[in-house]
Amino acid sequence: MNDFKAEPLELREAMLSAVQRVLESGWYVLGNEVVAFEKQWASACGVRHGVGVGNGMDAIEIALRALDIGSGDEVITTPMTAFATVLAILRAGATPVLADVDPQTALLSMESVSRCVSSKTKAVVLVHLYGQVRSMDDWVAFCTKCGIQLIEDCAQAHLATWRSKVAGSFGAAGAYSFYPTKNLGAPGDAGMVVTQDDTLAQRACRLRNYGQSVRYHHTELGLNSRLDEIHAAMLTERLKWLSEFTERRRQIAKAYRAGIQNPGIQQLAVPEETEAHVYHLYVITCEQREALQAHLQQHHVQSFIHYPIPVHLQELCRTIQRDPMGLASSERHAAICLSLPCHPQMTDAEVGQVIAAVNAFREA
């Protein structure tokens, strides 16, 4: 699904040079490399502030806490996401409420979210699943009308746009993950909160560093969640390649959409004209997913299921609040979705191999 060893030698050498630069500086935590990368990524997202943190889950928690969302508050999100999205809400002390998804995109359904809004609702955490950013004007208007905050989970949406605005710039805050497999990934855990709000950014800076206003002065209870210098330095180098790598993902996705012609395989909705999808994942659906996955493996094509168990079916979350009309679309999508390889190091021959293998599958 990913081939880090096939990345350009020039990039690898630049990353090694960045590590050497940090080691020679003698400054390893919250130094100039972090500041420089925060500024670059905030600029790339079209916002004023970036606050580097330990990982994407912490970014969501810190954004919620910076907005004073916690005990007694409800936060609506999707069950079709990495568990970290909901875990961040729980760690902030708030109560997650799960809304259903649109079966054509697997993104949050606004109709379902509207059924989940209560007097306790303080925010929606909108997950830009698979690298899609859709209908953001509607989401901003919806949250404004309801008097609730919009927080974007951008873990899969680096440089994805809606009407030329980048993911993370629509709501009160955006939460990014730079986990290795992300479109912009570090060789380890890393994350960032991005925002236009000066006050939110200042508080996020305190929260990531034990709640310190200045050293040894703790004005609130914070976390230990700091982006380190080595990862920031390497991300600065990787950022230089992100546009090229993103374009390659789009080329692969275009080839898949045109080339996959199998009546037993369905593809998600075509991106809207206003949307620039970044294809963190290329997801298809199939009623006989396990048979398809075995077939692909026989043809030397790896595949993966993101995510086979929706959050509300996790043992720890059986009693979690949800849309009163249920989460049928989420359950169905989780049962039939399958991710195909879609990383920028794939060759045209490998893309063709995937297409041929998918088209050769026959339902039992």
Side-chain angles (χ1 to χ4, degrees):
M1 295 296 291
N2 293 281
D3 189 357
F4 300 122
K5 292 183 178 180
E7 290 182 338
L9 179 60
E10 181 182 349
L11 172 56
R12 183 174 293 270
E13 290 176 343
M15 291 169 63
L16 290 171
S17 178
V19 172
Q20 183 176 1
R21 183 171 72 239
V22 172
L23 294 177
E24 291 177 351
S25 77
W27 194 333
Y28 301 152
V29 177
L30 293 184
N32 292 332
E33 297 287 351
V34 170
V35 171
F37 179 62
E38 287 174 335
K39 290 180 178 178
Q40 289 179 60
W41 189 244
S43 177
C45 294
V47 298
R48 285 195 295 271
H49 304 287
V51 180
V53 298
N55 53 69
M57 182 176 76
D58 286 359
I60 299 172
E61 178 184 352
I62 288 170
L64 288 167
R65 291 180 59 180
L67 289 165
D68 285 320
I69 296 172
S71 179
D73 299 329
E74 294 178 355
V75 178
I76 302 170
T77 193
T78 171
M80 276 307 302
T81 183
F83 192 71
T85 305
V86 172
L87 184 54
I89 297 169
L90 291 165
R91 286 189 10 158
T95 299
V97 179
L98 300 178
D100 210 358
V101 301
D102 178 341
Q104 302 302 312
T105 64
L107 297 174
L108 259 181
S109 160
M110 190 176 296
E111 182 181 351
S112 179
V113 170
S114 66
R115 291 193 292 266
C116 295
V117 174
S118 76
S119 60
K120 296 181 179 180
T121 305
K122 292 296 186 290
V124 171
V125 175
L126 185 65
V127 179
H128 299 312
L129 194 67
Y130 307 149
Q132 307 170 90
V133 180
R134 292 177 182 254
S135 306
M136 293 309 299
D137 290 353
D138 293 339
W139 280 109
V140 171
F142 175 85
C143 289
T144 300
K145 178 182 177 182
C146 294
I148 59 180
Q149 300 285 0
L150 175 62
I151 298 172
E152 299 170 68
D153 181 343
C154 309
Q156 301 184 1
H158 304 73
L159 294 188
T161 64
W162 167 264
R163 292 184 175 169
S164 301
K165 283 189 65 177
V166 180
S169 66
F170 296 92
Y176 277 94
S177 167
F178 303 114
Y179 184 76
T181 59
K182 304 304 183 186
N183 290 30
L184 178 61
D189 277 316
M192 191 174 294
V193 178
V194 297
T195 183
Q196 291 279 28
D197 189 312
D198 298 346
T199 302
L200 191 154
Q202 291 168 5
R203 192 169 184 198
C205 285
R206 294 196 300 271
L207 287 168
R208 72 173 174 186
N209 193 26
Y210 308 137
Q212 294 182 105
S213 54
V214 294
R215 195 166 190 177
Y216 301 129
H217 290 263
H218 300 267
T219 56
E220 57 187 318
L221 298 177
L223 295 76
N224 178 8
S225 181
R226 300 170 298 209
L227 176 61
D228 66 73
E229 288 285 282
I230 286 180
H231 279 136
M234 287 192 283
L235 283 165
T236 294
E237 299 303 327
R238 297 189 67 83
L239 179 54
K240 298 172 184 177
W241 292 77
L242 181 57
S243 292
E244 179 180 329
F245 285 175
T246 301
E247 181 55 33
R248 180 56 182 160
R249 289 178 183 271
R250 289 176 175 144
Q251 291 170 0
I252 294 167
K254 183 178 180 180
Y256 283 166
R257 190 167 292 281
I260 294 175
Q261 303 289 334
N262 186 325
I265 307 297
Q266 290 74 47
Q267 303 190 54
L268 297 185
V270 176
E272 299 173 5
E273 291 183 4
T274 50
E275 174 194 0
H277 198 321
V278 295
Y279 295 101
H280 171 65
L281 297 171
Y282 194 90
V283 176
I284 59 175
T285 60
C286 179
E287 297 291 340
Q288 297 186 7
R289 180 179 63 193
E290 285 68 26
L292 172 60
Q293 195 167 27
H295 164 85
L296 294 176
Q297 189 64 43
Q298 291 173 356
H299 287 74
H300 309 290
V301 172
Q302 190 178 27
S303 60
F304 203 79
I305 304 170
H306 301 88
Y307 303 91
I309 306 174
V311 172
H312 65 290
L313 296 183
Q314 298 286 343
E315 195 59 38
L316 293 171
C317 298
R318 295 282 182 174
T319 60
I320 202 166
Q321 294 185 47
R322 65 197 69 176
D323 182 341
M325 293 186 65
L327 303 170
S329 293
S330 298
E331 292 174 10
R332 175 161 174 74
H333 184 76
I336 61 176
C337 64
L338 187 67
S339 301
L340 300 177
C342 187
H343 62 82
Q345 282 67 55
M346 289 182 73
T347 65
D348 288 345
E350 288 170 335
V351 174
Q353 180 183 352
V354 174
I355 294 171
V358 172
N359 285 340
F361 175 70
R362 294 293 179 267
E363 294 181 285

